[in-house]
Amino acid sequence: MHTLIVYIARPAGKRYNISIMRTMGETMEYAPLNPPTRTLMGPGPSDVHPRVLNAMAAPTIGHMDPHFLALMDEIKGLLQQTFGTSNAMTFPVSGTGSAGMECCLVNVIEPGDRVVIAQNGVFGGRMADIAGRLGAEVEVLQVPWGEPVQAELLKELLAGKPTKLVGVVHAETSTGAMTDIPPIAEAAHQVGALLLADCVTSLAGIEVALDRWGVDLAYSGTQKCLSCPPGLAPVSFSERAVDALKTRKSKVVSWYLDLTMLLNYWGGERVYHHTAPINMLYALREALLVFVEEGPEQVFARHRTNHRALVAGLEAMGLRMQVEAPHRLPQLNTVVIPDGVNDGEVRGRLLNEFGLEIGGGLGALKGKVWRIGLMGHASRRKNVTLALSALESVMGDAVHRGQALAAAEAVYT
Ligand SMILES: *Cc1c(COP(=O)(O)O)cnc(C)c1O
């Protein structure tokens, strides 16, 4: 049986409706695209900066256009600055954060390599999955969710065993915990391993300093603190990582993410590999400019202040944070859902009544916590005020009412 699809465009008042008629006789009406305006305070995507949206609407040019090639150089430079590195191999991979994760792993890992992943949330698990698919002998250091990774435990696991790579998540978006990278890098280097750091949620929200910290490979994503839509994954490879790539015995198993070929495009020779997502790269360039123009220190301080105000307000409502204070990420706030409160209903009402998106729990924390993002452009006082008042309104008698905004205000003044 086949279905004949006929597309008819016809004027309907001021707008065009497209009808699809099928042989079965059903008709579907498509209204013009009109997504609602939301306040995105979940784990990403986060609110996109208006300058970034504007940049995306600039005319598309060819990916070999001299103007575009110059723009690529600018993006590389801005990314190096943002990552805190002089690594020549710093550029955006086409794809989301997970493509960056896969790109880092697929280029340096070969079957039989020992890989140790420190897992304190969902994303460490994803690293271990990818490494396993590449034929690595994967060992996972399980850390309680919501806690940072302790270098001492990692050292014990690594002791005396040659290891190719250690993977760790700097900012675990599934729990809201931050791991201090330098001691982890030191532990990895003691056994000759490369250190891979997931900087998806950390980049442009808290300090990232790849060179000073001794990170060998890192990746990020555009839709968290960079205030861009999802679609690109900035990556950075140190010279040690590039050496590991150059001395591989086997070919990189992914064609699309093979760095040796990607670098012929992003490097000096500009050899066609795949068509760069031009307008998405306009977006990233603008987002990086917004970041460096405000100034990294100012951006990080803004994230810290809004975080303190949000937490003060939540605690005044009688809510409890999941992560201990010293390890909390300012850009991702994990709140324990009180007993008797319906997770889905609260988030549904926030969305429908306030246009506000917050995140639910992921993996082991599903149904147990909310994840309130204050990432990049979304890390603003007006969003803190909105989130606190909307939560108070929606949760009713489940929380102490009337004190949250004053508690938040006290942080700002
Ligand atoms: C969001 C996220 C990822 C995955 O990125 P996608 O863009 O969803 O592919 C990986 N790691 C962390 C820590 C993240 O927050």
Side-chain angles (χ1 to χ4, degrees):
M1 194 199 114
H2 71 280
T3 305
L4 177 68
I5 299 177
V6 185
Y7 296 89
I8 304 170
R10 60 180 163 79
K14 274 195 207 129
R15 40 177 214 168
Y16 268 81
N17 277 351
I18 313 290
S19 301
I20 299 178
M21 287 163 54
R22 302 168 191 242
T23 47
M24 291 96 93
E26 48 173 311
T27 302
M28 285 176 71
E29 299 263 310
Y30 291 89
L33 180 70
N34 186 25
T37 302
R38 306 288 200 206
T39 301
L40 298 179
M41 296 178 68
S46 60
D47 280 346
V48 176
H49 196 287
R51 270 177 64 181
V52 171
L53 282 178
N54 267 331
M56 292 183 84
T60 304
I61 58 176
H63 64 118
M64 295 296 192
D65 189 308
H67 187 89
F68 185 68
L69 299 179
L71 200 128
M72 287 165 70
D73 287 334
E74 291 175 353
I75 292 173
K76 277 176 66 170
L78 287 164
L79 271 181
Q80 285 171 326
Q81 197 179 334
T82 306
F83 265 128
T85 185
S86 58
N87 291 338
M89 304 208 169
T90 303
F91 68 100
V93 168
S94 307
T96 65
S98 305
M101 184 191 290
E102 194 140 14
C103 178
C104 288
L105 290 165
V106 78
N107 278 285
V108 297
I109 289 174
E110 293 190 80
D113 283 345
R114 181 170 190 258
V115 167
V116 172
I117 306 292
Q119 183 183 2
N120 61 341
V122 164
F123 294 103
R126 190 172 294 183
M127 274 192 195
D129 184 355
I130 295 173
R133 287 165 192 247
L134 297 171
E137 307 277 336
V138 185
E139 218 171 316
V140 177
L141 172 69
Q142 290 289 354
V143 177
W145 287 34
E147 290 181 18
V149 177
Q150 304 285 351
E152 291 312 311
L153 293 176
L154 187 66
K155 273 185 191 156
E156 278 172 34
L157 186 70
L158 289 171
K161 292 186 230 154
T163 304
K164 180 69 163 281
L165 178 139
V166 170
V168 68
V169 178
H170 183 207
E172 233 322 333
T173 324
S174 62
T175 69
M178 191 200 54
T179 288
D180 192 22
I181 297 296
I184 308 283
E186 191 201 313
H189 294 157
Q190 272 177 5
V191 293
L194 296 164
L195 182 77
L196 167 63
D198 176 319
C199 299
V200 176
T201 283
S202 54
L203 194 68
I206 51 176
E207 187 190 27
V208 171
L210 300 187
D211 288 359
R212 189 152 45 79
W213 294 352
V215 176
D216 299 293
L217 306 96
Y219 58 89
S220 190
T222 42
Q223 78 275 27
K224 313 267 166 120
C225 295
L226 283 168
S227 315
C228 258
L232 286 173
V235 298
S236 188
F237 283 62
S238 68
E239 274 176 37
R240 279 186 72 217
V242 174
D243 281 345
L245 170 65
K246 285 186 179 154
T247 54
R248 289 179 67 98
K249 295 184 224 45
S250 55
K251 229 174 166 177
V252 175
V253 297
S254 166
W255 181 88
Y256 198 76
L257 298 174
D258 184 340
L259 203 67
T260 51
M261 292 193 289
L262 283 178
L263 286 172
N264 285 335
Y265 178 53
W266 276 93
E269 296 168 57
R270 310 292 192 192
V271 181
Y272 165 71
H273 178 257
H274 67 269
T275 310
I278 309 291
N279 293 53
M280 195 54 219
L281 288 157
Y282 295 164
L284 176 59
R285 178 185 182 275
E286 197 66 20
L288 292 166
L289 274 179
V290 167
F291 173 71
V292 300
E293 281 171 16
E294 184 177 350
E297 287 315 318
Q298 285 76 5
V299 172
F300 304 150
R302 171 165 59 79
H303 279 79
R304 285 193 299 269
T305 304
N306 289 321
H307 158 75
R308 284 201 295 122
L310 179 73
V311 171
L314 293 170
E315 288 180 343
M317 288 164 69
L319 295 170
R320 194 169 62 77
M321 303 302 291
Q322 163 82 9
V323 178
E324 298 281 320
H327 310 302
R328 284 177 198 157
L329 287 169
Q331 66 272 52
L332 197 283
N333 301 273
T334 322
V335 193
V336 178
I337 302 175
D339 288 338
V341 171
N342 184 317
D343 172 22
E345 188 189 315
V346 168
R347 283 190 291 127
R349 286 189 58 194
L350 291 176
L351 193 67
N352 295 327
E353 294 169 29
F354 295 90
L356 171 63
E357 179 180 288
I358 66 166
L362 210 55
L365 293 175
K366 192 172 160 54
K368 300 194 173 120
V369 297
W370 289 313
R371 293 181 296 153
I372 305 180
L374 284 168
M375 297 185 180
H377 184 58
S379 180
R380 280 182 291 165
R381 183 173 179 175
K382 90 176 222 227
N383 286 355
V384 170
T385 305
L386 170 67
L388 291 173
S389 48
L391 268 172
E392 235 186 52
S393 159
V394 165
M395 290 178 75
D397 291 338
V399 290
H400 309 309
R401 303 182 70 167
Q403 283 151 40
L405 291 182
E409 229 167 270
V411 172
Y412 289 114
T413 51

